[in-house]
Amino acid sequence: MEATGNIDYGLTNDCMFRAILQKSRKTLIGLASALLHLNPEDIKDIEITNPIILGESINAKTFILDVNILLNNSRMLNLEMQVNNLHNWENRSLCYLCSDFSQLNKGDAYEDIKPVINIGILDYTLFEDAPEFYAEFELLNKKTHRRYSDKLGISVLDLTQIDMASDEDKAYGIDTWALSSRLRHGRSCVWLFRVMNI
């Protein structure tokens, strides 16, 4: 399909971000695999568990901002695009993470809890004293650095630090995704769709 005309909103717009991920399975798999350092072929099943009704006003305030994804029926992702620094991201991301982690119903076994990863795609630098393009955090022992559990993780993609992308980030195309998210004009978005073969 040939894209024409101007696109007034870039991917940093919550509704545009959700619409693209909901409409294009290929895009959803591409973004998830890049952020998780997976090969796209390793993703056999992917589902947005909190879809919105597309086509409603892009300025509507009634939709849910984060995107919850069930990956291969074995891992949960929570993605959120955040443009404005409200100085609450650490607590906000922990709330999302813990909310998604509390997934058991009465009688379910604790062993059945699926791993949960919260990924914040931020258009600002979270820790000004330690800027990083793509940071991954987990629960560790403060002395030995032994991992407590692999079932909880928080990642932060800083769209303003693309020039700090590591070789590994580039190998998985995270820098390309970050660049595409910062595009705000029609021609740039057409370029994005061609580069990503959407």
Side-chain angles (χ1 to χ4, degrees):
M1 172 166 75
E2 184 69 25
T4 60
N6 286 335
I7 300 173
D8 295 328
Y9 301 96
L11 293 179
T12 54
N13 175 279
D14 289 318
C15 195
M16 180 66 79
F17 180 65
R18 290 188 63 98
I20 298 247
L21 294 180
Q22 280 186 214
K23 287 301 238 179
S24 174
R25 178 179 167 85
K26 185 175 183 177
T27 302
L28 184 60
I29 289 173
L31 179 60
S33 63
L35 294 171
L36 297 175
H37 298 170
L38 298 172
N39 291 319
E41 301 81 35
D42 293 336
I43 299 178
K44 306 298 183 201
D45 187 42
I46 193 164
E47 172 191 358
I48 294 178
T49 60
N50 64 339
I52 61 168
I53 298 171
L54 299 174
E56 292 182 352
S57 171
I58 203 161
N59 293 318
K61 298 287 186 185
T62 56
F63 59 85
I64 301 166
L65 299 179
D66 56 323
V67 179
N68 292 329
I69 299 168
L70 180 59
L71 183 68
N72 291 337
N73 202 30
S74 63
R75 187 184 317 188
M76 297 172 64
L77 303 178
N78 176 277
L79 300 178
E80 179 158 357
M81 180 74 68
Q82 183 67 36
V83 174
N84 298 317
N85 187 354
L86 303 175
H87 305 285
N88 65 3
W89 184 255
E90 298 100 307
N91 290 335
R92 187 173 175 175
S93 61
L94 286 170
C95 284
Y96 286 139
L97 183 70
C98 293
S99 174
D100 287 343
F101 193 70
S102 298
Q103 56 196 260
L104 292 182
N105 295 311
K106 186 176 181 178
D108 290 346
Y110 287 110
E111 296 78 27
D112 294 337
I113 293 177
K114 293 176 175 60
V116 177
I117 300 170
N118 175 277
I119 302 177
I121 303 172
L122 311 182
D123 202 19
Y124 58 88
T125 299
L126 182 60
F127 301 116
E128 291 288 342
D129 61 330
E132 190 174 355
F133 172 62
Y134 188 57
E136 298 173 281
F137 302 91
E138 56 187 20
L139 291 174
L140 298 174
N141 180 304
K142 288 170 66 172
K143 292 181 204 168
T144 65
H145 302 285
R146 178 186 172 102
R147 181 191 292 167
Y148 184 80
S149 171
D150 63 354
K151 298 233 175 179
L152 288 172
I154 293 179
S155 298
V156 175
L157 177 61
D158 184 340
L159 300 178
T160 69
Q161 301 293 339
I162 297 172
D163 58 327
M164 294 184 74
S166 69
D167 290 339
E168 184 178 30
D169 297 330
K170 293 175 183 175
Y172 284 98
I174 301 173
D175 58 327
T176 303
W177 284 101
L179 178 62
S180 69
S181 295
R182 293 190 58 85
L183 301 176
R184 288 177 171 78
H185 303 292
R187 287 185 185 170
S188 299
C189 288
V190 170
W191 168 84
L192 155 70
F193 296 145
R194 285 187 183 142
V195 167
M196 294 187 164
N197 195 22
I198 297 173

